[in-house]
Amino acid sequence: MAPPAAAAPPHTLTLAQLHHALANHRLSCTDIIRSALERIAAFDRTGPTLHAMITVNPDAMAEARDKDAHRGAALPPAHCVPVVLKDNIDTAELPTTGGSPLFVDWVPREDATVTARLRQAGAIILGKGNLDDFAAAVYGVSSLEGAMRNPYATERTVGGSSGGPATAVSAGYVPLAFGTDTGGSLRIPAAFTSVVTVRPTVGLVSRAGTMPRALTQDTPGPLGRTVADVATGLQLVAGVLPERGYAWHARHGSLHGKRIGIVRSGLSLFGEDDPGVLALLDRAAADLRRLGAAVVFLPAPDRDLLGGSSVITFEANRDMTGYLRAAGPDVPVRSFAELHASGAYTPYAKEAFDREIEVGPDGLESNVDYQQALRNRDSLREQTLDVMAHERLDAIGYASAMRPPEPIGVEQGGVFTRWSENTGFPAIGVPMGYTRSLPASLELLGRPFAEPLLFELAGAYERHTRHRVDPPL
């Protein structure tokens, strides 16, 4: 009998294609992990020096050989999928550094829930991805590894704080990565590296074992090169699944008869809108119409309400202190106050920490400003749902950032991500093209737990536009 035909290079395959190649013995687990490690060796510290990784799992090849030696007839859903985790998600065999030298030798006692579910599904944790220190900034810079480089233009930022995982997917190290999002930390780097991500409804994915910023806003989420891969990633870790699974919705959705609201301006904190990104957003609106959706142009929510509904400054001290106190006797510091006093973080993180240390970990129930921020969140949710009901909308679309990635070291303007994080509503980001060869993303915001519908919309948009192209590595 002739040997099976060689598969395409592993780094080019989707999760479904990897699974099929493994099931049909066209690829071994060892082939997949070797390919991933070779990509990291070629691009992370040499060549374009992307600096996406903090730690590479030294046992990854041994795990792959063990899976090859003991595989059964039926493969688990994520058999041998190499995954990069943002280095604020706990792993019991690898350090969790938060991007800081203070934690460089600290290994948590147990896996985060996300990590444990990925292992149970057969995935191999290939390593830990770079991030802004303790996820406290969006510059794409850590104390441990410095600035991450954009695979589309290495003098440009990848954004943050989940810049390492996003870059690892974009550059083909892995087909799937996981980061966290408190204030845009999944969707900003996904937009800047031309990958797909979803910020799930808060509470859909467990935060247990993840370094927190603000638990009212925190959520882990997946990153991948396709909508279906991201849907599969969410399926592996979510606490609740739709009957057919998220991936089915990503593959079988349609825009025909749907109604999408588009917001063209007014969501960014600062920075002038880039005309190239605005042109891409207008093209996306035209694409949605061409694919059968009705498009309604909307004004942005009230700027003061949108800006006054973040609770990160209020909750960071309390929630990080709670995590550290539960982390065991070997954790380097035991409170946010000790972490702040250490100075073991970048100046970018210091900007946030200096504000957050002023709010003590106790007494938030009587903190007038915090309670007002919570009321603002309620009002923002109500107004958003009212607009969606009045206009009969299935989702609201906008650009994740109205400016392309800036040069490394330049403050990034035009970020549009606050609507999802300040309501807790889900949002999916999908590539919508390039301006001056730099990526941009369409973000779709939905009602709470509307992830299946968002995957249908984004999947249909992706299938019929095919805007994403691999970076020129």
Side-chain angles (χ1 to χ4, degrees):
M1 178 184 292
H11 75 271
T12 67
L13 301 180
T14 65
L15 293 179
Q17 289 168 337
L18 278 175
H19 195 82
H20 186 265
L22 284 162
N24 289 278
H25 299 277
R26 290 185 166 187
L27 282 175
S28 68
C29 190
T30 307
D31 293 331
I32 294 169
I33 299 305
R34 180 184 295 113
S35 173
L37 294 174
E38 287 174 351
R39 298 283 293 181
I40 293 172
F43 299 126
D44 214 61
R45 292 296 181 274
T46 59
T49 59
L50 299 178
H51 291 280
M53 303 297 295
I54 289 178
T55 302
V56 177
N57 181 359
D59 297 322
M61 281 300 294
E63 291 182 35
R65 287 191 291 268
D66 184 68
K67 286 183 183 295
D68 282 336
H70 298 97
R71 62 167 284 174
L75 301 181
H79 178 71
C80 203
V81 171
V83 174
V84 166
L85 300 177
K86 185 177 180 179
D87 205 8
N88 63 345
I89 299 175
D90 285 352
T91 44
E93 288 114 10
L94 299 171
T96 296
T97 71
S100 169
L102 186 64
F103 282 74
V104 71
D105 295 319
W106 181 63
V107 178
R109 295 180 297 178
E110 58 187 21
D111 284 338
T113 299
V114 164
T115 310
R117 288 185 172 175
L118 289 168
R119 292 194 205 273
Q120 289 162 7
I124 291 178
I125 307 305
L126 193 70
K128 308 295 285 288
N130 203 358
L131 72 159
D132 296 81
D133 289 17
F134 303 104
V138 294
Y139 289 88
V141 179
S142 78
S143 295
L144 278 178
E145 296 296 337
M148 294 163 259
R149 297 181 182 274
N150 196 307
Y152 288 89
T154 55
E155 79 283 359
R156 299 270 174 167
T157 183
V158 299
S161 61
S162 303
T167 304
V169 170
S170 180
Y173 300 178
V174 292
L176 184 66
F178 284 81
T180 59
D181 191 310
T182 308
S185 289
L186 282 165
R187 292 156 294 142
I188 296 167
F192 291 167
T193 61
S194 200
V195 299
V196 181
T197 193
V198 65
R199 175 191 160 89
T201 306
V202 170
L204 181 62
V205 178
S206 172
R207 284 87 54 89
T210 299
M211 286 183 173
R213 287 287 290 140
L215 287 174
T216 295
Q217 295 183 207
D218 287 346
T219 181
L223 302 115
R225 291 191 298 275
T226 70
V227 174
D229 281 359
V230 167
T232 299
L234 182 60
Q235 204 162 290
L236 297 173
V237 300
V240 178
L241 298 179
E243 182 178 353
R244 288 173 164 167
Y246 294 113
W248 185 92
H249 289 275
R251 296 188 179 99
H252 293 91
S254 169
L255 283 156
H256 186 73
K258 301 299 192 295
R259 288 178 63 84
I260 313 292
I262 296 290
V263 178
R264 297 176 77 250
S265 63
L267 289 174
S268 57
L269 282 167
F270 65 92
E272 295 182 0
D273 295 348
D274 181 87
V277 176
L278 185 58
L280 292 177
L281 181 60
D282 287 340
R283 184 180 71 175
D287 285 337
L288 294 170
R289 281 199 186 101
R290 176 175 57 84
L291 296 170
V295 172
V296 179
F297 287 98
L298 303 174
D302 178 83
R303 187 175 180 85
D304 291 337
L305 186 62
L306 194 64
S309 48
S310 173
V311 296
I312 300 172
T313 297
F314 303 104
E315 294 184 356
N317 188 335
R318 179 197 68 189
D319 294 343
M320 188 61 166
T321 295
Y323 169 88
L324 293 169
R325 287 177 177 169
D330 298 328
V331 70
V333 292
R334 301 287 293 171
S335 68
F336 182 83
E338 290 181 22
L339 174 59
H340 179 264
S342 75
Y345 40 81
T346 63
Y348 306 119
K350 185 177 187 300
E351 292 177 16
F353 284 1
D354 284 350
R355 294 191 303 270
E356 292 156 6
I357 194 63
E358 297 300 318
V359 182
D362 303 314
L364 289 181
E365 64 279 356
S366 60
N367 184 307
V368 174
D369 293 333
Y370 175 61
Q371 295 302 320
Q372 183 60 55
L374 292 176
R375 286 192 291 272
N376 289 343
R377 292 177 70 83
D378 290 339
S379 297
L380 183 61
R381 289 189 194 100
E382 291 170 7
Q383 289 188 15
T384 302
L385 293 173
D386 285 348
V387 167
M388 294 186 75
H390 182 265
E391 298 289 350
R392 306 189 315 282
L393 299 178
D394 294 285
I396 298 174
Y398 42 88
S400 295
M402 282 300 294
R403 295 190 60 79
E406 301 284 4
I408 290 169
V410 174
E411 190 170 14
Q412 180 69 48
V415 173
F416 254 50
T417 57
R418 292 179 295 166
W419 208 340
S420 173
E421 67 222 34
N422 289 358
T423 57
F425 293 0
I428 188 167
V430 60
M432 65 176 181
Y434 303 82
T435 176
R436 304 187 304 280
S437 300
L438 299 172
S441 280
L442 172 67
E443 187 167 321
L444 295 171
L445 176 82
R447 293 176 175 83
F449 300 102
E451 284 84 355
L453 175 58
L454 291 180
F455 282 126
E456 290 181 15
L457 302 176
Y461 173 79
E462 176 190 68
R463 280 194 304 278
H464 293 286
T465 59
R466 299 292 182 188
H467 287 310
R468 185 183 188 274
V469 296
D470 288 331
L473 293 175

